[in-house]
């Protein structure tokens, strides 16, 4: 994933010594995800938008369910579901992330092997649905992405809110590699391998390098379409969402990201930015 401007605090992950001993899901969680900040953001803005607390959350494209686990930890009334197609990744999440929850917390979370496009059932009525780390970019046509947004909307409570992130700036069309040292003694490499300006298709890989031994090449690969913020706003409206808000990261005096995202109508022509969107049912 593109590096957010704010340097994230990362938890240490030991032992992460070589490509042979390292676990790619653990490396991904350390390098890419920061569920506490994500849940802080989502719960704060849900309350601002609706005047109540979010209690029912669905993490679409949940992978290991890392963020859903954080949500159930936050409050005894919080319940979460995670949806993903890939059963080995879900199994890893149950073994490593859900296993760290108390038995009571484990009762309030379920990771399900489901397609996010499929109807979720009339009883769902989630307060919040999340689609983070650009996972919805797998939908490469306007029709497919609109259909996904409509499926999300149908699974939300009357005042439910869909939160998603997006990435932009002129560097996202560049074939390049971005390297970052991570806690635990490994290097994360975001490889923007191929961008096709005629289709918008973008293929990216994640590689991991270690102090010793060979790299773990192509630990993860993504075949995406590069979507822009105006296209997302239009498609969310076409799917029936009544209001979309874009949250832009604020900067400190040195021009560095602060990790605080605020509603904005206009952005800056940055080389690379990550922004959040909320879409109200
Ligand atoms: C980028 S990864 C997970 C990212 C995770 N949400 C995060 O924030 O880091 C994308 C995940 O989407 C899952 N996926 C792809 N298409 C899907 C679909 N139609 N329904 C459910 N999961 C899907 C993949 O199996 C993969 O685990």
């Amino acid at each position: 994933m593109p590096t957010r401007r704010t340097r994230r605090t990362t938890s240490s992950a030991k032992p992460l010594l070589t490509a042979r001993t390292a676990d790619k899901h653990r490396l991904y969680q350390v390098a890419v995800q920061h569920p506490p900040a994500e849940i802080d953001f989502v719960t704060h803005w849900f309350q601002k938008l609706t005047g109540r607390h979010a209690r029912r959350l669905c993490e679409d494209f949940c992978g290991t369910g890392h963020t859903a686990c954080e949500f159930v930890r936050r409050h005894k009334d919080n319940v979460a579901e995670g949806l993903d197609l890939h059963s080995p990744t879900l199994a890893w999440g149950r073994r490593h992330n859900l296993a760290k929850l108390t038995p009571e917390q484990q009762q309030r979370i379920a990771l399900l092997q489901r397609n996010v496009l499929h109807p979720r059932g009339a009883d769902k009525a989630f307060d919040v649905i999340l689609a983070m780390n650009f996972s919805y970019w797998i939908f490469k046509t306007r029709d497919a992405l609109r259909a996904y947004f409509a499926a999300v909307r149908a699974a939300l409570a009357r005042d439910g809110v869909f939160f998603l992130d997006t990435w932009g700036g002129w560097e996202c069309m560049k074939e390049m590699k971005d390297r970052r040292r991570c806690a635990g003694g490994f290097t994360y490499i975001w490889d923007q391998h191929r961008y096709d300006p005629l289709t918008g298709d973008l293929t990216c890989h994640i590689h991991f390098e270690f102090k010793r031994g060979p790299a773990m090449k192509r630990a993860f690969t993504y075949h995406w379409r590069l979507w822009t913020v105006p296209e997302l706003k239009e498609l969310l409206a076409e799917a029936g969402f009544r209001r979309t808000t874009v949250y832009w990261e604020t900067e400190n005096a040195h021009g560095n990201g602060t990790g605080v995202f605020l509603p904005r109508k206009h952005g800056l022509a940055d080389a690379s930015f990550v922004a959040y969107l909320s879409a109200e049912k």
Side-chain angles (χ1 to χ4, degrees):
M1 310 292 145
T3 298
R4 288 159 207 255
R5 289 188 300 176
T6 320
R7 186 151 286 300
R8 294 162 164 217
T9 44
T10 50
S11 54
S12 73
K14 292 176 190 165
L16 297 173
L17 300 174
T18 68
R20 202 168 50 79
T21 58
D23 179 327
K24 71 173 189 171
H25 292 298
R26 199 173 298 285
L27 301 181
Y28 177 90
Q29 291 191 171
V30 170
V32 173
Q33 294 187 301
H34 192 38
E38 214 152 86
I39 293 299
D40 283 350
F41 174 83
V42 162
T43 52
H44 172 80
W45 285 104
F46 181 85
Q47 193 174 6
K48 283 250 182 211
L49 295 171
T50 65
R52 66 182 183 91
H53 294 294
R55 293 290 176 232
R56 296 174 58 79
L57 174 143
C58 183
E59 183 185 5
D60 278 4
F61 312 98
C62 69
T64 61
H66 202 20
T67 305
C69 284
E70 177 67 19
F71 184 71
V72 301
R73 246 186 234 113
R74 290 289 174 102
H75 193 277
K76 65 179 178 35
D77 295 329
N78 284 3
V79 294
E81 207 164 82
L83 305 184
D84 201 287
L85 283 177
H86 195 240
S87 82
T89 304
L90 292 168
W92 191 99
R94 289 188 197 101
R95 253 190 341 270
H96 295 273
N97 291 336
L98 273 67
K100 290 201 185 94
L101 301 174
T102 67
E104 188 280 323
Q105 289 165 342
Q106 289 178 25
Q107 298 294 312
R108 294 186 276 108
I109 184 168
L111 301 189
L112 306 174
Q113 188 182 8
R114 299 259 166 88
N115 191 327
V116 296
L117 290 173
H118 291 168
R120 323 256 173 129
D123 59 323
K124 290 303 180 187
F126 290 108
D127 296 330
V128 166
I129 298 182
L130 300 181
M132 293 299 184
N133 276 319
F134 331 111
S135 306
Y136 61 92
W137 285 13
I138 51 146
F139 300 121
K140 291 191 172 186
T141 64
R142 290 178 59 88
D143 284 349
L145 189 55
R146 191 189 307 105
Y148 168 59
F149 288 165
V152 168
R153 188 173 176 278
L156 284 169
R158 208 165 27 87
D159 62 348
V161 184
F162 177 37
F163 288 92
L164 54 164
D165 60 5
T166 191
W167 157 48
W170 43 267
E171 249 182 28
C172 57
M173 295 178 191
K174 193 169 166 187
E175 293 171 355
M176 57 177 271
K177 289 190 180 125
D178 185 30
R179 306 165 62 85
R180 176 160 48 85
R181 298 271 309 148
C182 293
F186 69 96
T187 299
Y188 163 84
I189 297 151
W190 175 244
D191 177 2
Q192 295 172 203
H193 184 71
R194 171 84 181 119
Y195 172 69
D196 182 336
L198 301 194
T199 62
D201 285 350
L202 176 67
T203 296
C204 298
H205 306 291
I206 291 176
H207 317 289
F208 298 110
E209 282 178 1
F210 307 91
K211 285 183 187 144
R212 276 185 275 140
M216 190 189 288
K217 292 229 159 123
R218 299 192 178 185
F220 297 94
T221 292
Y222 305 101
H223 298 289
W224 285 336
R225 167 164 168 186
L226 183 61
W227 291 97
T228 64
V229 173
E231 287 171 313
L232 298 176
K233 284 161 61 182
E234 285 164 10
L235 286 167
L236 287 162
E238 289 170 25
F241 285 97
R242 65 182 170 81
R243 184 168 63 164
T244 295
T245 305
V246 182
Y247 303 81
W248 188 263
E249 191 175 7
T250 57
E251 288 183 356
N252 62 20
H254 306 289
N256 296 320
T258 60
V260 176
F261 290 75
L262 293 177
R264 290 282 181 267
K265 292 226 180 315
H266 300 280
L268 296 173
D270 282 346
S272 179
F273 66 84
V274 169
Y276 289 100
L277 283 81
S278 68
E280 290 156 74
K281 184 170 180 175

